[in-house]
Amino acid sequence: MPEIVSPIDGQVAFTYARPSLEQARAKVEAAAEAQREWTRTALSDRIALCRKMLVAYAAREQDNAVQITKMMGKPVGQALGEFRGPMRERTQYLCEIAESALADEHPPAKDGFTRFIRRDPVGVVFDIAAWNYPLIIAINVIVPSVLAGNAVVIKHAHQTTLVADQLVAAFAEAGAPEHLVQALPVDHDVAGALMGERRFGYVSFTGSVRGGHEVYRAVAHNAFVGCGLELGGKDGALVLPDCDFDAAVENLVDGAFFNAGQSCCGIERIYVPDSLYDRFVEAYVAKAKQYVLGNPLADGTTLGPMINAKAAQAVRAQIEQAKAKGGRVLVSDADFDVPDASACYLAPHVVVDVDHSMDLMTEETFGPAIGIHKYGSVDEGVALMNDCKYGLTGSVWTNDDDQATALAERIEAGTVYQNRCDYLDPGLAWTGVKDSGCGASLSRLGFLSVTRPKSFHLRRAT
């Protein structure tokens, strides 16, 4: 049986059964059968189910949070916060807008005809979810899919496989029909075979660029279905001279190091004007040193281990390369009491004297390390922000609203924030450009991916 090794202590925390291809096919067939019934269920009942799911999950939130912490290392309070905050917020918002988002669209009236466009469910949705925010990444797809009349099968990342079981249990306890929401913990080969057999109406994948290409190829091999990809990121922050200084520092420290830097839209590079640079770096360093690195099951810990030793070593390699190219490390392991229970613990690292010849400034880091880069003109700052193959989010830090909007128009990203970062607003489309992927989730547009338009062109009897 596959083993989930906890980054907390390097010990096996959980095991699970992995279905064969034949068993997986049977699960998908059962989902398809459940979906044929579910699509005839009133939208009001679908909305009620998703709301009841939140209640059912809340009844087990503490045990679920501890399980998540043991699997992937985030502090228990943050695991609880993922449910109590964004998972609840997104689910409730999607329920609130479902009726209007799925409503028939009527073109201008035409004598003698009734015409409208209806959003039909796509059937069975395959959700391949990442480990770093195991609840909300999955819920972004599951909830709109169920609301639209689809069934969902969830292949969670190996490290957080049991989160799929948590969500399935919550839907079942809320009264979901059997097989409507299922866990499908298959390996890559079985997942690829299922996608190539045209068994899904939509495939959603959150993960690496390489993985995105593999999923896209598998879906395109023998099926014409939608595919949403949320891939890598190298999200930048452009600090302006007129920013709210204290707020910018505090939020950009949190944006870089929360969840051990393993956030899809976490801050990975910061650009600061010459006039503010020294003061900003001094304040940033002081704030970064306030983290408490340790066992995420212990009270008071604010920074847990990274997901595995390989990921931690990849971040260390970026830091060492930056040092070799002239970067100076102002915050490092030497400033913290780093646990030796596993090789997954990595302290916050702050690097200055950086440039774009360094992987730390151009390649995805996905860990607790940040480079702070000095710039002269605003045009130079924007050029540095866009000098990247990724484009998930970017942020500008200024009290000039007009300037923020003008700069946001120039920054190549799916979302641009003013004076905030590392947050998904469920009322806005979550999307990326360049190698950060394609498609959109959340907002009204998120329902478009898990439905297909069907036109009704009816000539009225005379």
Side-chain angles (χ1 to χ4, degrees), residues 102 119-122 144 148-150 202 446-453:
L102 296 169
R119 305 300 308 187
D120 273 3
V122 296
N150 299 293
Y202 179 73
F447 287 94
L448 301 184
S449 301
V450 295
T451 57
R452 58 171 65 93

Side-chain angles (χ1 to χ4, degrees), residues 40-92:
R40 292 192 283 269
T41 303
L43 178 56
S44 59
D45 292 335
R46 300 179 209 163
I47 294 171
L49 173 67
C50 290
R51 287 177 169 156
K52 290 176 183 175
M53 177 274 296
L54 290 176
V55 176
Y57 194 93
R60 300 187 181 185
E61 63 175 357
Q62 184 66 37
D63 289 344
N64 287 344
V66 170
Q67 189 179 60
I68 288 171
T69 295
K70 290 179 178 178
M71 285 189 287
M72 57 79 62
K74 73 171 59 178
V76 174
Q78 294 177 18
L80 280 169
E82 187 177 345
F83 165 67
R84 294 175 179 175
M87 178 175 160
R88 188 187 298 276
E89 178 189 27
R90 294 178 197 184
T91 299
Q92 291 174 338

